[in-house]
Amino acid sequence: MTIQLADILSDLHEDHRNMTVMLDLLAREIEHVREGEKPDYELIHDIMRYMTVYSDAVHHPKEDVLYGAMKKERPELAAGLEQVEPEHEEIARLGETLRNDIEAVASGAAVTRDRLVADATDYVQRLREHMAWEEDDLFRRADALVQDEGELFVDISHLDLLDPVFGPEREHSFANLLENIKDLSRS
Ligand SMILES: [Fe+2]
Ligand SMILES: [Fe+2]
């Protein structure tokens, strides 16, 4: 299956908007932990489930298609792209650590408040920085490529693009997360 590069780009912008909502929710819950209040652990777990299942497994491979096309079509637009992979790996690792912390809390293991706050803060900061780099620099270069080339098709047959929270087929296990997202947009 092929798709226009312009469509991948707008999809990626939308992913970033959705991921920002997740990070805002996560930061709010972590603020409760920092203040010694009880956070909604189930919500934090759902957020990290989404971030590790969708963002790491779908969003990053989708970006690889975009960045691959930039390298192929316009090597002069590709400066610094070699930094993307190590950053994606680092974000996946930090996300995994945080998800493990939350799962340990759920199973009754002792995870200190400080560690939870530190791991979550690292994750949120790193991912926000990475997305800002992409939005302010990499996606702008990609947009210039789209503007110059007009129609440019890329193969996405190898990608599983279903978004279990924001996509058309919502996964039942994310119902609680969806409710929280609705509340956030109302407040
Ligand atoms: Fe990325
Ligand atoms: Fe991204």
Side-chain angles (χ1 to χ4, degrees):
M1 180 190 171
T2 59
I3 177 175
Q4 290 216 38
L5 200 64
D7 292 334
I8 287 223
L9 190 55
S10 67
D11 229 54
L12 289 170
H13 281 301
E14 196 183 329
D15 283 348
H16 279 185
R17 282 193 292 276
N18 294 337
M19 287 156 76
T20 300
V21 171
M22 294 294 175
L23 292 185
D24 289 347
L25 271 177
L26 178 59
R28 186 188 74 185
E29 292 307 313
I30 294 305
E31 216 28 57
H32 292 319
V33 182
R34 200 194 303 273
E35 286 162 7
E37 295 162 18
K38 200 171 177 299
D40 184 340
Y41 282 115
E42 195 191 329
L43 176 61
I44 301 177
H45 187 235
D46 283 346
I47 292 169
M48 292 318 296
R49 209 154 51 85
Y50 175 76
M51 297 306 278
T52 48
V53 167
Y54 181 77
S55 305
D56 293 337
V58 180
H59 175 75
H60 293 163
K62 219 189 303 178
E63 286 179 339
D64 290 341
V65 172
L66 176 79
Y67 298 144
M70 285 163 69
K71 279 185 211 155
K72 184 168 158 250
E73 302 293 330
R74 291 285 198 80
E76 77 275 17
L77 289 179
L81 282 184
E82 68 284 354
Q83 258 313 104
V84 170
E85 199 185 328
E87 290 202 10
H88 283 175
E89 282 168 5
E90 187 194 359
I91 289 162
R93 213 167 38 242
L94 294 171
E96 210 51 47
T97 302
L98 182 55
R99 185 175 168 168
N100 289 340
D101 287 350
I102 299 301
E103 284 172 3
V105 170
S107 70
V111 174
T112 65
R113 200 168 72 189
D114 288 351
R115 190 171 121 204
L116 192 58
V117 170
D119 288 346
T121 305
D122 277 354
Y123 177 72
V124 171
Q125 261 178 9
R126 209 58 204 95
L127 188 49
R128 284 202 205 275
E129 281 166 10
H130 178 78
M131 286 201 290
W133 176 42
E134 292 180 317
E135 288 288 334
D136 298 342
D137 180 4
L138 302 186
F139 287 6
R140 286 187 188 192
R141 291 190 232 167
D143 198 44
L145 174 66
V146 167
Q147 299 301 326
D148 292 351
E149 298 286 328
E151 293 201 334
L152 196 64
F153 286 88
V154 283
D155 186 13
I156 54 158
S157 326
H158 61 293
L159 296 180
D160 173 10
L161 295 170
L162 284 185
D163 184 327
V165 175
F166 298 99
E169 283 177 40
R170 292 169 168 180
E171 224 175 77
H172 184 67
S173 69
F174 283 111
N176 176 43
L177 179 56
L178 265 168
E179 272 314 303
N180 276 276
I181 293 165
K182 283 187 203 145
D183 286 349
L184 193 71
S185 62
R186 275 196 287 263
S187 63

